[in-house]
Amino acid sequence: MFNYFRKEIEWAGRPLVLETGKIARQADGAVVVTYGDTVVLCTAVGAKTVKPGQDFFPLTVNYQEKSYAAGRIPGGFFKREGRPSESETLIARLIDRPIRPLFPDNFRNEVQITATVLSHDMENDPALVALIGCSAALTLSGIPFYGPVGVARVGRIDGELVVNPTIAQMKESALDLVVAGTSEGVLMVESEASELSEDVMLEAVTAGHDSFQPVIDAIIDLAEHAAKQPWDLEGPTKEQIALRKRVEKIGTKLMADAYKEKAKQARYEKIASAKARIVEGLEEEGLDVELAKPMLKELEAQVVRGAILKTGLRIDGRDTKTVRPIVSEVGILPRAHGSALFTRGETQALVVATLGTTQDEQIIDALEGEYRSNFMLHYNFPPYSVGECGRMGSPGRREIGHGKLAWRAIHPLLPGKDRFPYTVRIVSEITESNGSSSMATVCGSSLALMDAGVPLPRPVAGIAMGLIKEDRGYAVLSDILGDEDHLGDMDFKVAGTEAGITALQMDIKITSITPEIMKVALEQARDGRIHILGEMAKAIDEGREGVSRNAPKITTMTIAKEKIRDVIGQGGKVIREIVEVSGAKVDINDEGVITIAASNDEQAQKAISRIEGIVAEPEIGRIYDGKVVKTADFGAFVNFLGPRDGLVHISELTDGRVAKTTDVVKQGDAVKVKVVGFDDRGKVKLSMRVVDQETGADISESVGAKPSRPSRQRDAD
C-alpha cells in the first residue's frame, strides 16, 4: 500500500531521520523529518499551469506549530490554533529565504510549502527540522528546484563553537546563528551575538555550512530512491530571444540616461518615461508588449549592475564604500520617554521608546511553554514612506521580520532586570524609505533608548551591504539604496557596537557566495558601522542620567520568601491597601523581589515604608512611632511596626502609679514606644515611660528605670 523510503544519519550527536511515502501521498512531495523526538511534516505542491498574465513567481511558505506537539491545549476561548504567531511567521520567513533563490528565473507556477510541527521534545529546534523537511519535499516533488538546501544552528559556549546546541544549551550561548545553503555555498544567515568579532562570526558561518553537508547528501540519497519525474521547463523561444535583443537595443541608452538622476522620486519618473518610450517603440514595430514587460526589469538590472562594475560609481554618485549623509536628533517628542529621528540619505526612522512596569511585560504562549518578555520592538512601514497609496492594517511578514532583526541587534546591550527593572517598548515608524530601513531602526532605537535614560553600555548601529556579482568580477556596496537591493545579488545587514557584532542577517539572491566575498563584506560593514556610530554620537553617545521625567519611577527591594504572604495579605488585602494608600503600583514575584512603580518619589517612599514596616522585625532597644489601637485594664496595645502590635503594660505607661490605662492614653493616640523585650509567646513588650513623648529621646537613665528583663529574646534579624 505504501511506497515507503527512509534515510537515517547521525548529525551533531543525534539521529536525523527522513521518511517519505506513507503520509500526505497526494502532495507533489512530502517528507516527515525526525530529529531526536522533534517531528515535522513538510509538503510541497506546485500548480501544473501558470495563471494568465502571471509575471512573478508566487511562492508561499506556511509554518505551523500544533499545541498537541508539546502535549498542550491552546489557550483562548476557541481552544484551537488561529492565525500564525510572531514566532511562526519568523520561521516561515526563515524557510522561504534560502529556498526562493533556487527556483529558475523563468518559473511562474504557483508553489506552496507547508511545514507542520507534530512533536516537540523541548530540546531540538523544530525550525531547523522544518527547513530540512521543506528542502527534501521540494527535491522529491519534481518541481524545478536547484537544491537541496541544508541548515544548522551554531552557538558559542565557553568560547567554543557548538553545532545544533539544545534549547537548554542556548541559554548559555553568546551566539545564536542559523546558516543555510547548498553544497556550493551559503544562502542565508540569521544571528544574534554578544558583540563578537567579524572573524568569529565568519568562523561560525563556515562551521555551520560544513556541518550540514551530510544532511544534503542524505536528501540526495533519498531522492535517488523516491524522487518524482522532473517537470519539463521550457527555455526561451526564438521569439523571446529576438524580442529581448530589440528591448536592449531600443532601451539601453534610455534607461542609462534615466539612472543618471540621483534623486529617488525624480529618477523614478524618468525610469517610467523611459519604459513608456521603449513600449512605444515596440508597438510601432508590432512586437508583443506584454511579453516584453518582464524584460524591462532585466534591462534595468543590466544597466545598473554594468555601470557599477565598469565605473565603480553607483546610482546616486557614491563609490562602493561611502555611507550617505546622516542626521541624528533626539528628544523631539515632548511627552515621550525617549525619542529620536534618524535620517540617512532618503531613509528616515522616527523611533520612540516607552518605559513601563512588570505589569506591561508581554506574555508569550509558545510550544515550550508560557514566558514573559520585558523588551518589545515594533516596526511599521506605512505606504507614504515610499510615496505610494496602500492598505494599512496589521503587520505583515516584512514588518515582523524587520522588527525582529532590530530586536536582535539591540537585545544583547540591554541591562538586566536586576539593574534596570523596566519593561521597554520601542516603536519605529519608517517615515521615508530608500534602502535599509531596518538598519535605520537599529540606529534610531539606540538613540531613543539613550534619550530615555536606559543605561546602554555602548550605542548600537547597523548598515546594509549589497553585492553585484558577474563573471567579470564583483563589487560589495556599503549602505545600499532600494534599487541596489532589488537589482543586486545580496542583502547583507550587520549591526553592532564599536566592540563587535550583535546581529547579522544575510540573504543571497544567487546560488551562493564565497567566504572571500563574506570576509570583504564584513570588513567593509565594520568600517561603515564605525562611521555611523560617530555620526550618531553628535546627538547623544550615552544614556541620560536617570530616566525621563515622564517615565514611571521604579524601585526594587527584596524580602525573605516567608514574608511574601504578609505583604500580599489574605486575598491580596494588604497589597491592595498599599497601592491605595501610596498611589504606586506594587508587584511581587515568587522570589520575594518587589517592584514599586510610582509617578513621583513621595508615592514610592510611602509604599516602601509600608512594606518595610510589614517585613521588619522589632529590635530590642529601638524606639518607634506608634498608635494606640486598644486599651485594657492591664495596659494599652500599640501598633508600632507595620501591622505589628505590642503591649505597653500599665506599669510602663508613665512614672508613678497609674489607676486606669485611659488616664494616660486613649484609643487613637499617637505615642512613642521602646521595645524592651518579648514574652514567652514571642509577643512584643513595649514601654512609654522611658521615652520622651515630645522628642522621642530615650530617657531610661534619667528616670532610673531599666528595661524589663525579657523572658525570651529573638534575633532581630
Side-chain angles (χ1 to χ4, degrees), residues 435-456:
S436 190
S437 57
S438 63
M439 294 297 94
T441 294
V442 172
C443 300
S445 296
S446 176
L447 294 168
L449 287 170
M450 291 187 290
D451 183 50
V454 179
L456 296 181

Side-chain angles (χ1 to χ4, degrees), residues 281-295:
L282 295 174
E283 287 176 339
E284 289 174 0
E285 297 182 16
L287 298 175
D288 189 339
V289 173
E290 289 301 318
L291 189 61
K293 284 183 178 178
M295 300 175 186

Side-chain angles (χ1 to χ4, degrees), residues 599-651:
S599 58
N600 55 58
D601 292 337
E602 183 182 354
Q603 290 180 341
Q605 193 53 52
K606 281 183 180 179
I608 292 170
S609 299
R610 179 62 175 159
I611 293 167
E612 286 178 341
I614 293 171
V615 301
E617 292 289 344
E619 298 179 32
I620 293 179
R622 182 172 175 179
I623 295 171
Y624 297 89
D625 290 321
K627 181 179 181 181
V628 178
V629 293
K630 184 180 178 182
T631 59
D633 292 342
F634 51 83
F637 290 95
V638 176
N639 172 245
F640 70 100
L641 188 60
R644 191 182 295 273
D645 297 341
L647 174 65
V648 180
H649 191 267
I650 193 169
S651 62

Side-chain angles (χ1 to χ4, degrees), residues 300-367:
E300 283 188 74
Q302 289 176 18
V303 168
V304 172
R305 294 163 65 91
I308 291 173
L309 289 177
K310 183 178 179 180
T311 67
L313 297 177
R314 296 152 66 179
I315 297 170
D316 58 358
R318 287 180 293 151
D319 62 24
T320 58
K321 296 182 180 180
T322 300
V323 177
R324 288 170 288 175
I326 292 172
V327 177
S328 300
E329 303 170 66
V330 296
I332 63 171
L333 300 179
R335 297 295 296 174
H337 299 165
S339 59
L341 185 67
F342 179 84
T343 308
R344 185 189 59 242
E346 294 172 304
T347 296
Q348 185 180 77
L350 173 62
V351 187
V352 183
T354 306
L355 307 181
T357 70
T358 54
Q359 296 177 18
D360 297 311
E361 290 180 341
Q362 183 180 16
I363 301 172
I364 299 173
D365 187 17
L367 272 186

